[in-house]
Amino acid sequence: MASYLSRSTDARAKSHPMSLSSDEIERYARHIVLRHVGGPGQQKLKAARVLIIGAGALGSPLIQYLAAAGIGMLGVVDDDVVSLSNLQRQVVHGTPDIGRPKLDSARDKVAALNPHVRFVAHAEHLTAANALALVAGYDIVADGSDNFDTRYAVSDACFYAGKVLVTAAVNEFDGSLTTLKPHLAGEGGKPNPTYRCLFPHKPPPGLVPTCSEAGVLGALTGLIGAMQAIEVLREIVGFGEGLTGKLLLIDALSMRFETMRYAWDPANPLNGAGPARAQR
């Protein structure tokens, strides 16, 4: 997968050499000897700028695995504080962090895990009004939010900013994961699908129960968040077959994984064939 993102990070690494220190060479030794990653791939990771939406259930494994992998700049958007009920699944935080801003405990965890990673805290709630400004300074966005308003705002902003988006969701015993590149052409010259091609409309309020109402299997969020981190790494380095136009579905009750294909909808309001466009 020679992706747009891997080419852009490769160009940045060449224009601003991202040499690895002796400490980094030892730290990332298992990546450097790994086929399809190697030293050049690790340099792309060091040159990359990744924005994570949410420091909660999905954000926790994302933050830790991307920091451990050596992402050069890791931005996190969150305005919440740690509560006791978070700790069943939000493993980037601990009992002593109860009452602290999630960004503070996440920053501490990243600093302890990998001092080579620059952690950028965005202590605000992402909305349609500020999403474009937030994603603008990053190469790739990983959405781990827990509500549809944020998911639509992030996906629209990534389209307008020309950013790759890896988005995931989880509920009770199931979850999903996909990658969105609607700013790029897909197979046959048609546009790649948008989030609105997959989910044209937000569900009515109350139709989809929240995590606090329905519950969620804690370990499942770790699984999906880790898979989301893998997809981010694949996009940056440029290996494997990505999830553009494919929705990965995970069912923890039957331990079943399925992949559903979806396509560009000409009626979608972002890159569709009609004149209507979603508001920035």
Side-chain angles (χ1 to χ4, degrees):
M1 179 177 65
S3 70
Y4 151 84
L5 181 61
S6 67
R7 292 196 297 272
S8 66
T9 52
D10 192 34
R12 188 182 311 119
K14 288 179 179 177
S15 60
H16 302 281
M18 293 286 174
S19 59
L20 301 174
S21 66
S22 58
D23 177 80
E24 289 173 298
I25 291 172
E26 182 175 357
R27 177 183 291 269
Y28 308 128
R30 300 303 184 273
H31 270 177
I32 292 171
V33 299
L34 187 63
R35 189 165 59 97
H36 300 312
V37 180
Q42 192 62 50
Q43 289 177 318
K44 289 180 183 179
L45 296 177
K46 185 174 181 177
R49 302 166 300 190
V50 178
L51 181 66
I52 297 174
I53 312 301
L58 295 174
S60 288
L62 268 168
I63 290 167
Q64 293 178 92
Y65 275 112
L66 293 181
I71 296 298
M73 189 170 98
L74 201 57
V76 183
V77 183
D78 200 293
D79 65 345
D80 199 7
V81 298
V82 180
S83 65
L84 182 59
S85 63
N86 296 150
L87 303 185
Q88 164 256 11
R89 64 203 176 281
Q90 299 183 20
V91 294
V92 77
H93 317 294
T95 301
D97 297 314
I98 294 173
R100 296 181 70 199
K102 290 181 179 179
L103 288 178
D104 288 355
S105 52
R107 185 200 303 271
D108 290 348
K109 181 62 68 72
V110 169
L113 182 61
N114 191 346
H116 300 286
V117 175
R118 178 187 172 197
F119 185 96
V120 181
H122 298 278
E124 54 189 306
H125 179 67
L126 187 144
T127 66
N130 65 6
L132 196 58
L134 284 168
V135 306
Y138 294 87
D139 303 310
I140 184 168
V141 179
D143 184 10
S145 61
D146 60 359
N147 66 88
F148 283 97
D149 286 341
T150 302
R151 291 171 193 154
Y152 279 89
V154 172
S155 63
D156 287 353
C158 286
F159 168 76
Y160 286 117
K163 308 294 181 179
V164 176
L165 172 62
V166 179
T167 184
V170 62
N171 186 53
E172 297 186 66
F173 294 96
D174 60 85
S176 62
L177 172 65
T178 191
T179 296
L180 297 162
K181 303 180 190 177
H183 56 288
L184 300 177
E187 294 181 4
K190 288 185 178 180
N192 283 318
T194 72
Y195 188 77
R196 292 172 180 270
C197 296
L198 184 59
F199 301 108
H201 306 289
K202 301 175 189 177
L207 180 63
V208 179
T210 64
C211 175
S212 60
E213 294 168 339
V216 63
L217 185 65
L220 176 62
T221 67
L223 171 66
I224 296 176
M227 295 177 74
Q228 196 174 3
I230 292 172
E231 189 68 4
V232 170
L233 298 178
R234 293 202 302 175
E235 285 295 326
I236 294 170
V237 178
F239 64 87
E241 183 181 345
L243 287 175
T244 305
K246 292 179 283 187
L247 182 67
L248 178 63
L249 302 170
I250 300 101
D251 180 355
L253 284 176
S254 61
M255 200 53 77
R256 184 174 61 193
F257 293 73
E258 295 183 1
T259 302
M260 179 188 80
R261 291 188 176 272
Y262 63 99
W264 172 66
D265 180 1
N268 90 80
L270 292 175
N271 63 357
R277 290 211 159 206
Q279 293 296 315
R280 293 194 186 195

